[in-house]
Amino acid sequence: MKKCTTDFFEGYKGVALPHKFKMAVGGCPNNCMKPDLNDVGIIGQLVPIHDIEKCKGCKKM
């Protein structure tokens, strides 16, 4: 994550924007960082693992 942040800020530090530019990275199920309200928001999610042995036939994957 640190490399990603450094690459972003080093790569875009000379770009002039017309207003304050806000970013948020969140993964909290309570939406604490409010990434959807910022100019750029990243929301982490868990990819479910499908176990055919536990499947009840609901057809949701």
Side-chain angles (χ1 to χ4, degrees), residues 9 12 19 45 60:
F9 284 110
Y12 290 101
H19 58 82
Q45 296 197 351
K60 293 181 183 177

Side-chain angles (χ1 to χ4, degrees), residues 30-52:
N30 297 324
N31 202 21
C32 295
M33 294 297 298
K34 305 270 187 261
D36 52 334
L37 298 178
N38 291 290
D39 295 311
V40 172
I42 299 171
I43 303 171
Q45 296 197 351
L46 179 66
V47 177
I49 299 171
H50 179 71
D51 186 355
I52 196 69

Side-chain angles (χ1 to χ4, degrees), residues 49-57 61:
I49 299 171
H50 179 71
D51 186 355
I52 196 69
E53 297 294 323
K54 295 179 181 178
C55 182
K56 296 180 182 178
M61 292 172 82

